[in-house]
Amino acid sequence: MVGKRSGKALLREEGLERTDNNLELTTWPTVNMINQKNYYTEYLKRDDQILPLRVLQEERRNRLTTQAKDKDRARAQGAEDADGDATMDLDEEPALDENGEAVEDQEASGSKVIVIHPGSQNLRIGLASDALPKSIPMVIARKWKCNESEEGNGEPVPKRQKLDDGSYPDPEKQFGQEFATEYNKMCQTLKTHMRANKRRVLPNSKELVVNYNSRVSPEIISEHNDPLRIDWTEIPKNPKDAPEYYCGQEALRIPDDSNPRYRLFWPLQRGWYNEGDYNNKNFMFEDISIIIEEAIKSQLNLTKKKEWHQYGCVFVVPDLYDRLYVTQILEMLIRDFAFGKVCFIQESLAATFGAAFTTACVVDIGAQKTSIACVEEGMIIDNSRVNVKIGGADVTDTFFRMMLYDHFPYDEINLRRRYDFLLAEELKTKVCTMNESDISVQLFDFHVRAPSQDTRKYQFKTYDEVLLSAQGFFQPSIFDHSGKLSGRRKLIGPSLDLYDGSPNDPVSSAQSEIVQLIAPASLDPPSKPETINIGYSSTPSRQMPNPLARVVESEMPSSNTGTPAPDDGDTPLPANESGPSAPALPACLRDDVLPILGLDTAILTSITHGARGDERKLRDLLGGIMIIGGGAQVPFLNQHLEERLKMQRPALAKDIMIGPPPRELDPQGVVWKGGSVFGKLRSTGDMWIGKLEFDRLGARCLAYKCLWGW
């Protein structure tokens, strides 16, 4: 009987016997199946896995290592103070002693930090160790076929209406019936208010002003007899030798009839890119870079660009910024200027740093826009941010429209001409006020100094124009808003989310409410026209008929049931506190609607959304309103604004308080001062962006380095 054969014998007969050395058929590692019921990953869950945080840890470790080596070297050399406080972490804030040694160290660190605060009209720049910034016009003059006053057939600003034959009508008809009606209505309202306050009102004051101004003729002063004559920018006689551009004050002093012609470009307008004056975005970026670079070289005496890598830069950005603007500035500072490190800070937060406030409602009135934001414990409340497009330039334009309506003697004034623009700013600062006791028929004079012409001295009288022009802050319908949206998004589109393609520029519920309120019916979203969906789809919606209604409703607890959405990018709310989050505005409402609202209503809207239903916080913010900016220099503006706020909120009148910045700081330099304080703090070392981080991560490093939710 044949026995049973083994398996190896069978494999040998069939030729399947294994003859190798028991090696695997492949060297590729085998991956076991994941247990889907219980698995765990550490990806991006530790600080050392995130590049910006890992770089900070390495820098801190290197400092401690160097510090220990210095200590050992000093101990080996027998130094008496080798066992001092050498092991102190340099990130800690040093204590101030009586000898001021820590202050000296802090000032030394500030001498290597440049603080830049650009605006629509002025650029403020300086070292963090400086007491005050240097201020220069944010303008560049380039060679062009014609200057700005010759464009558009020489149409003057303020715009006048013309008759069919091309001549101008009477001064009362040059600005249209709508302006005349609004102006006369404001005059009557002011008279009524003055009589109610027992102030003397002469019945024929307007006639006295008109009759005097219409009869004035200029007094001619020869140039050699004018002690305050202007030194104009000298242009080489040979046009080929003329520079390609001039920056700052030199650009404003170029004669209008220069050969070759120069045209002024303002790359930032109303807190946005000035896309209307450019046909290529690269030219616009280049102008911003040239203006800042020339300011660093001329104002800070840092002429050698190869040494700039030793300096850091604190750049101030708006509260409601465009993300593409911040990323472009970051690339310019790191790539073009080669700064060693860069950090960003928002305007309102910088203002509280400069004024040493912890909780405040910051109202920054600039030349062409006004930004409002509530700051609490060193953080901006995101949903309180408001940006309205009115400012000091609108007051200047309206003041001269009113004066021309009342037969201003210098009737050919054109704010597009450089010398007229400087004259207008000077007269506004000299004449305008919000004090009703100063409203009377007053006599003023001014000098027109034009290049290649004799000086002309004019005298003119004013009455209520000095107050009503600044009254436009509260009645913005008197301002001329035409052209403020021209060129918007012509060159640069909105920032889009990488995944779903939706616009991701920062928004706030306060700004969204204002835009929804003034949006025309044709631009309303297809949903309910008077309802704004606060939060996400699972969150109940709320009715927002107007900002003042929201202000009144803020005192009442919310009756909506369900869990409200958290603030977008804001500090997390406690369990028992709720607040509205920013509604998702359609892109058409963000870019096609000009946010215009009275200053008092805008402030109340911002504070209401900042308080989020907390009455104590509402009272704190109403009592901490701080007015800053160049447009806030109108005398008695704070008192007038406080009076209007108390009229709208009589129940909280005793809590409303508006004050200037403390320590007699210049309102125009408070934001820059806050940036300089921020740049000298040792505790802000984790907010600096270095070249290594930018090269590897690009703009993504802003998510780890910004004080706010990027």
Side-chain angles (χ1 to χ4, degrees):
M1 181 175 180
V2 181
K4 184 177 180 181
R5 305 179 64 180
S6 65
K8 290 184 178 180
L10 293 175
L11 291 176
R12 188 182 306 112
E13 290 181 0
E14 295 177 3
L16 299 177
E17 183 182 10
R18 184 164 184 167
T19 59
D20 56 7
N21 298 324
N22 293 327
L23 296 177
E24 297 288 343
L25 297 179
T26 177
T27 58
W28 190 265
T30 58
V31 180
N32 297 324
M33 296 294 294
I34 297 177
N35 182 4
Q36 298 185 3
K37 293 183 179 180
N38 184 16
Y39 67 94
Y40 176 76
T41 178
E42 293 184 351
Y43 178 66
L44 291 182
K45 291 188 177 181
R46 297 198 308 267
D47 288 349
D48 56 359
Q49 295 175 337
I50 300 174
L51 177 64
L53 302 180
R54 186 167 65 250
V55 170
L56 287 175
Q57 292 178 354
E58 292 176 356
E59 291 179 354
R60 186 177 295 108
R61 190 181 305 112
N62 293 336
R63 283 197 301 268
L64 293 176
T65 303
T66 305
Q67 201 173 26
K69 291 180 179 179
D70 294 340
K71 179 182 177 181
D72 294 340
R73 187 181 301 109
R75 185 183 292 115
Q77 295 175 357
E80 296 180 359
D81 57 347
D83 296 330
D85 55 351
T87 58
M88 182 187 68
D89 191 347
L90 296 181
D91 285 343
E92 296 179 2
E93 188 70 19
L96 299 179
D97 56 5
E98 297 179 356
N99 298 327
E101 295 180 359
V103 177
E104 293 178 1
D105 295 339
Q106 197 172 12
E107 292 296 331
S109 64
S111 63
K112 291 295 184 179
V113 176
I114 299 174
V115 183
I116 302 175
H117 178 210
S120 302
Q121 187 165 313
N122 292 305
L123 169 68
R124 292 175 179 86
I125 190 171
L127 297 175
S129 56
D130 295 340
L132 296 173
K134 279 80 173 178
S135 181
I136 61 174
M138 186 72 182
V139 63
I140 184 173
R142 285 189 174 274
K143 284 184 179 179
W144 212 253
K145 57 184 178 181
C146 61
N147 59 45
E148 61 278 1
S149 63
E150 297 171 347
E151 291 184 343
N153 298 324
E155 186 69 24
V157 174
K159 297 180 180 179
R160 287 90 149 170
Q161 296 182 353
K162 292 184 179 180
L163 300 175
D164 295 337
D165 57 357
S167 61
Y168 292 107
D170 295 336
E172 293 85 356
K173 301 178 182 179
Q174 289 185 0
F175 302 105
Q177 184 62 35
E178 183 179 356
F179 173 79
T181 303
E182 184 79 13
Y183 180 33
N184 292 326
K185 180 181 177 181
M186 293 177 67
C187 293
Q188 294 300 325
T189 304
L190 178 61
K191 287 183 179 180
T192 304
H193 191 268
M194 292 178 64
R195 289 194 179 100
N197 291 336
K198 309 299 182 182
R199 301 190 186 277
R200 184 181 180 185
V201 178
L202 297 178
N204 60 341
S205 300
K206 278 289 186 184
E207 290 76 7
L208 293 175
V209 171
V210 171
N211 293 335
Y212 182 85
N213 291 342
S214 58
R215 297 195 310 267
V216 169
S217 58
E219 175 186 351
I220 306 300
I221 302 175
S222 58
E223 185 177 359
H224 63 275
N225 289 331
D226 185 6
L228 300 178
R229 59 181 178 272
I230 297 175
D231 294 331
W232 302 97
T233 303
E234 295 185 3
I235 307 296
K237 294 183 179 180
N238 188 356
K240 296 182 180 180
D241 297 335
E244 287 295 328
Y245 59 83
Y246 287 93
C247 295
Q249 196 66 32
E250 288 184 345
L252 294 178
R253 293 303 186 187
I254 298 177
D256 291 308
D257 56 352
S258 63
N259 184 23
R261 290 286 195 271
Y262 283 85
R263 187 190 187 280
L264 297 183
F265 289 91
W266 305 81
L268 297 178
Q269 294 281 271
R270 287 169 285 278
W272 296 327
Y273 282 131
N274 184 16
E275 303 173 53
D277 287 351
Y278 293 88
N279 295 323
N280 191 318
K281 64 180 180 180
N282 293 327
F283 291 158
M284 182 172 60
F285 297 154
E286 183 182 4
D287 283 354
I288 297 176
S289 176
I290 290 175
I291 293 173
I292 297 177
E293 181 177 348
E294 292 297 325
I296 294 175
K297 292 180 178 179
S298 61
Q299 302 297 323
L300 305 183
N301 296 323
L302 301 177
T303 56
K304 297 181 180 180
K305 199 171 181 179
K306 62 182 180 180
E307 298 178 354
W308 290 5
H309 70 278
Q310 304 174 6
Y311 289 82
C313 178
V314 176
F315 199 92
V316 183
V317 298
D319 301 329
L320 282 174
Y321 53 87
D322 288 344
R323 289 169 64 97
L324 294 180
Y325 167 73
V326 179
T327 55
Q328 177 63 32
I329 292 296
L330 175 61
E331 182 177 0
M332 179 188 70
L333 297 177
I334 296 291
R335 300 278 192 213
D336 300 342
F337 295 167
F339 286 130
K341 54 183 181 178
V342 176
C343 74
F344 294 94
I345 185 173
Q346 293 172 293
E347 288 178 341
S348 296
L349 182 59
T352 57
F353 271 87
F357 285 176
T358 57
T359 301
C361 176
V362 181
V363 182
D364 186 357
I365 306 176
Q368 298 177 355
K369 57 101 177 170
T370 298
S371 61
I372 307 169
C374 297
V375 180
E376 182 186 19
E377 299 298 334
M379 291 295 291
I380 293 180
I381 303 175
D382 288 348
N383 280 333
S384 68
R385 294 175 294 180
V386 170
N387 192 311
V388 291
K389 304 305 178 182
I390 56 176
D394 295 307
V395 176
T396 304
D397 179 82
T398 304
F399 172 68
F400 280 96
R401 282 198 293 162
M402 292 180 176
M403 290 306 306
L404 290 170
Y405 185 91
D406 293 337
H407 295 253
F408 190 60
Y410 182 38
D411 56 354
E412 64 268 21
I413 187 172
N414 182 6
L415 299 186
R416 288 186 180 272
R417 288 198 293 253
R418 296 152 197 170
Y419 58 88
D420 282 346
F421 170 78
L422 297 174
L423 172 66
E425 292 293 329
E426 178 186 352
L427 282 180
K428 180 193 71 172
T429 305
K430 175 182 177 182
V431 172
C432 288
T433 181
M434 293 295 291
N435 187 12
E436 288 186 358
S437 61
D438 295 337
I439 303 303
S440 61
V441 178
Q442 302 181 68
L443 179 64
F444 297 96
D445 59 18
F446 63 92
H447 297 77
V448 178
R449 297 179 175 91
S452 305
Q453 298 180 21
D454 290 334
T455 301
R456 290 169 288 171
K457 179 182 179 181
Y458 287 90
Q459 290 186 332
F460 70 102
K461 287 186 176 181
T462 64
Y463 180 53
D464 53 5
E465 305 89 354
V466 297
L467 186 143
L468 295 180
S469 57
Q471 185 73 18
F473 282 133
F474 312 99
Q475 299 178 6
S477 58
I478 195 65
F479 289 157
D480 182 15
H481 304 297
S482 60
K484 289 188 176 182
L485 281 177
S486 62
R488 176 66 171 160
R489 299 300 185 192
K490 184 180 76 172
L491 303 177
I492 304 174
S495 176
L496 301 178
D497 188 82
L498 182 62
Y499 299 102
D500 58 10
S502 61
N504 60 353
D505 282 325
V507 295
S508 69
S509 59
Q511 183 78 1
S512 302
E513 182 178 340
I514 292 175
V515 173
Q516 291 279 8
L517 174 69
I518 63 180
S522 59
L523 293 179
D524 280 344
S527 58
K528 297 180 181 180
E530 295 183 358
T531 302
I532 301 178
N533 188 12
I534 303 292
Y536 305 100
S537 58
S538 61
T539 306
S541 60
R542 299 180 182 178
Q543 297 288 337
M544 290 188 182
N546 58 70
L548 288 184
R550 287 282 300 147
V551 172
V552 176
E553 292 172 1
S554 66
E555 297 181 353
M556 302 296 294
S558 176
S559 60
N560 292 334
T561 59
T563 303
D567 286 340
D568 188 11
D570 197 5
T571 304
L573 298 179
N576 59 351
E577 184 180 0
S578 64
S581 63
L585 277 179
C588 62
L589 292 184
R590 297 186 193 179
D591 299 328
D592 296 341
V593 175
L594 187 69
I596 299 294
L597 194 66
L599 186 59
D600 49 349
T601 307
I603 291 174
L604 290 178
T605 305
S606 173
I607 292 178
T608 301
H609 286 263
R612 293 173 291 184
D614 188 343
E615 184 176 356
R616 181 190 60 80
K617 190 182 299 182
L618 178 69
R619 295 178 183 273
D620 291 343
L621 293 174
L622 286 173
I625 301 175
M626 180 175 60
I627 310 295
I628 60 174
Q633 292 186 313
V634 179
F636 292 91
L637 175 63
N638 293 2
Q639 292 83 342
H640 188 81
L641 175 59
E642 184 174 335
E643 179 184 350
R644 291 185 65 94
L645 291 176
K646 290 180 178 180
M647 291 174 58
Q648 294 199 26
R649 298 302 302 273
L652 299 174
K654 65 179 183 301
D655 298 315
I656 297 176
M657 183 180 300
I658 300 177
R663 304 193 304 273
E664 299 181 356
L665 289 174
D666 182 8
Q668 300 181 83
V670 174
V671 175
W672 181 92
K673 188 65 177 178
S676 68
V677 172
F678 180 81
K680 291 184 291 186
L681 293 177
R682 295 179 182 268
S683 58
T684 58
D686 57 344
M687 300 170 193
W688 293 94
I689 301 173
K691 187 177 185 302
L692 173 64
E693 300 158 283
F694 182 78
D695 289 341
R696 295 188 181 180
L697 297 180
R700 289 180 295 167
C701 59
L702 290 169
Y704 302 100
K705 295 293 187 174
C706 290
L707 274 173
W708 64 93
W710 174 257

